[in-house]
Amino acid sequence: MRMKKCFSIILILVFAQNLMFCQSSGQYWQNKSLSLSHYYGYLIPEYSYHHLQATEAINGFSIGFGKTSSGNDFWQRLYNYPVSGLCLFHSGLSNAELYGHQTAIFAYTGSEFLSDKKLQLPWQFGLGMNYVSKRFDFQDNYHNIGVGSNLNVYFRGSFGWSFMIFEIFRFTQSLVFHHLSNANMNEPNIGLNWLTVSNTIAFYPKGKSVRLITDVPDFKKAVEHFIFLNGGLKHTVSFEPYKYMTGSLSYVAELGISHMVSLSLGADLFFDSSVEEEMIAKGIEFEHYFAWHSGVHVGLKMNYNKLGVGIQQGIYVGLLEHLNNNKMYNRAFAQWRFNDWFTAMIALKSHLHILDHVEIGIGYRLFKSNCRE
C-alpha cells in the first residue's frame, strides 16, 4: 500500500508541474500531450494454477507523454497521423505475496481506426522493460513459476474509444492486454498475462492537434532479394545458467504491394547448439546434423519509412527438428533499413506460442527487380 500511495503522489506532482510548465512554453507543446491513466483488471488464467494464485484484482496507474504526428511526411498520413510517446506504468500482479508488483517504462505508438469529429476509435501497441519485485526462488518463492527474473520484457496492446472535451482534454477508455516475460533468458519463463480496462485523461496544452495534408507518391511494385545472417543465445528448459549459441542464414524474396505492406517467401537454415545436450538428457539418439534445421516460410511485413515489423510462418523441410518433432516455426521481427542495401534485424523465433530464442542480425539486398505494370 505504501508503494502505491508513493507512486500516486509522484504521478500527481509530476503532472501538476508539467501543467504549469505547459502554459508558458510556447509552440513546443503543439501536438503534444500529457496523460494520466487508471487500470483495473484481472490475471488471465492461462494455466490451471492461476485460478489458485490470483487472489486479488489488478490495480494500476500510469503517466505518459505523447506526440501526435502532424503529417510532415506522407507516411504519417498513410497511418492516419500516428501518436507515439513514452509511459511509466505501475501495477499489482494479482498476488502481492507471490508476484509483488511491477513497474514498467515503455515506448508506444498507435493511431485511430475512426477519426470522427465527435468519436475516435484508437489502438495502441507498447514495448519496453519492467521490474517485478518478486521472482521465482527455490527456497523463498518456489510457487512463483511465472516470473523467473526481476527484469523482464513488457508488451501491451489496446483498443478503445475516445472523445475530446473543450478541445484541450481527451478522455479514452480502452481494453488493454499486458504481457511480461524474460525472453527465455532465465528459467522459469512462463510469464504473466493480464487484461485491464483503462480510463485515461490526456491534456493538450495547445488544443487540438494540427494535421497537414501531404501528397502520397505513386508506388511501383518490385521484388527485392535479401540474405540475412542472424545469431543469438538460447536458454534450455533446465535451471542451468549456461547459454547456448544459435544462428540462422535466410534468403528472402520480398514483394512490395504498397507503401505499407510487403509479402515474402523465403528459405532458412538454422543451427542450435543446445540440441545435443537436450537430446542426450532425454535419452534420444543424437546425430551431429540434428543440430541443423532447414525450412521455408511465407511472411507479411508492415512498413513505416525505414522501419518494418512483421511475422513469418515456416515449415521444416529437409533437415527436420528431431528434439520435439516440431513441424512448423514462427518468427516475429522488426527491421531497420539503413539504406538500399543494408538492414538490421531483431527476431523472436518460436514454435507456436513457445518462445525458442531471440536473434539479432544483418541483412544485405542482393538485387531488386521491378514488376511490370
Side-chain angles (χ1 to χ4, degrees), residues 39-43 56-59 194-197:
Y39 304 81
Y40 184 87
Y42 296 91
L43 191 73
E56 59 191 20
I58 295 175
N59 274 283
W194 66 102
L195 200 64
T196 63
V197 172

Side-chain angles (χ1 to χ4, degrees), residues 145-165:
I145 61 174
V147 183
S149 60
N150 294 114
L151 190 64
N152 296 271
V153 176
Y154 172 75
F155 168 81
R156 64 186 281 160
S158 67
F159 172 76
W161 61 281
S162 69
F163 59 89
M164 294 294 294
I165 306 173

Side-chain angles (χ1 to χ4, degrees), residues 3 30 94 115 173 179 214 222 235 260 270 299 319 355 362:
M3 188 66 182
Q30 185 67 58
S94 80
S115 299
Q173 187 173 68
H179 170 79
T214 307
H235 193 285
M260 300 169 61
F270 301 103
L319 297 173
L355 178 66
I362 192 76

Side-chain angles (χ1 to χ4, degrees), residues 76-365:
Q76 296 174 1
R77 182 182 174 188
L78 284 176
Y79 280 88
N80 197 18
Y81 305 92
V83 179
S84 58
L86 288 173
C87 190
L88 179 66
F89 169 51
H90 176 82
S91 75
L93 290 171
S94 80
N95 190 321
E97 294 185 2
L98 194 66
Y99 301 122
H101 57 266
Q102 69 83 34
T103 301
I105 183 168
F106 62 92
Y108 67 85
T109 188
S111 186
E112 298 170 346
F113 291 115
L114 174 68
S115 299
D116 187 77
K117 291 182 179 180
K118 295 183 179 180
L119 179 68
Q120 297 81 45
L121 300 179
W123 59 267
Q124 184 188 106
F125 290 106
L127 182 66
M129 303 297 294
N130 76 345
Y131 180 85
V132 179
S133 61
K134 293 188 178 182
R135 50 161 290 182
F136 172 86
D137 186 270
F138 273 113
Q139 295 182 342
D140 300 326
N141 201 16
Y142 51 86
H143 288 299
N144 178 2
I145 61 174
V147 183
S149 60
N150 294 114
L151 190 64
N152 296 271
V153 176
Y154 172 75
F155 168 81
R156 64 186 281 160
S158 67
F159 172 76
W161 61 281
S162 69
F163 59 89
M164 294 294 294
I165 306 173
F166 306 126
E167 295 191 352
I168 61 171
F169 293 100
R170 179 188 294 275
F171 173 79
T172 304
Q173 187 173 68
S174 299
L175 184 66
V176 188
F177 169 80
H178 311 256
H179 170 79
L180 70 85
S181 64
N182 59 38
N184 211 31
M185 297 304 292
N186 202 6
E187 292 291 341
N189 185 43
I190 293 176
L192 294 178
N193 299 312
W194 66 102
L195 200 64
T196 63
V197 172
S198 68
N199 293 289
T200 302
I201 186 72
F203 172 60
Y204 293 78
K206 291 298 178 179
K208 189 175 180 180
S209 299
V210 174
R211 292 189 173 187
L212 306 177
I213 305 299
T214 307
D215 292 334
V216 178
D218 294 333
F219 179 80
K220 294 182 179 180
K221 291 184 179 180
V223 178
E224 296 183 284
H225 302 262
F226 296 90
I227 187 167
F228 287 92
L229 181 63
N230 298 328
L233 295 174
K234 179 181 178 180
H235 193 285
T236 66
V237 295
S238 68
F239 290 89
E240 297 176 354
Y242 185 76
K243 303 296 189 297
Y244 299 90
M245 295 292 296
T246 64
S248 66
L249 178 66
S250 302
Y251 162 78
V252 178
E254 184 177 294
L255 170 63
I257 61 175
S258 72
H259 288 294
M260 300 169 61
V261 181
S262 299
L263 303 177
S264 64
L265 180 66
D268 304 297
L269 178 64
F270 301 103
F271 173 74
D272 186 345
S273 64
S274 70
V275 172
E276 180 178 1
E277 291 191 23
E278 289 195 85
M279 292 188 73
I280 293 174
K282 291 183 177 182
I284 304 174
E285 184 178 354
F286 173 77
E287 299 288 346
H288 289 292
Y289 66 86
F290 285 175
W292 296 85
H293 312 132
S294 60
V296 294
H297 72 260
V298 294
L300 171 68
K301 185 175 74 170
M302 299 299 295
N303 303 300
Y304 184 93
N305 203 346
K306 296 182 179 182
L307 176 66
V309 178
I311 56 174
Q312 294 173 351
Q313 177 64 62
I315 182 170
Y316 288 112
V317 177
L319 297 173
L320 303 181
E321 199 276 323
H322 293 276
L323 176 62
N324 298 302
N325 292 316
N326 291 301
K327 307 300 182 183
M328 305 178 73
Y329 60 92
N330 324 87
R331 265 196 187 129
F333 65 88
Q335 296 176 350
W336 182 264
R337 194 152 186 173
F338 296 110
N339 50 44
D340 288 341
W341 305 104
F342 291 98
T343 301
M345 177 179 181
I346 181 170
L348 305 177
K349 182 176 181 285
S350 62
H351 296 109
L352 294 179
H353 65 286
I354 301 175
L355 178 66
D356 194 53
H357 64 270
V358 180
E359 55 184 15
I360 300 174
I362 192 76
Y364 178 75
R365 193 187 77 179

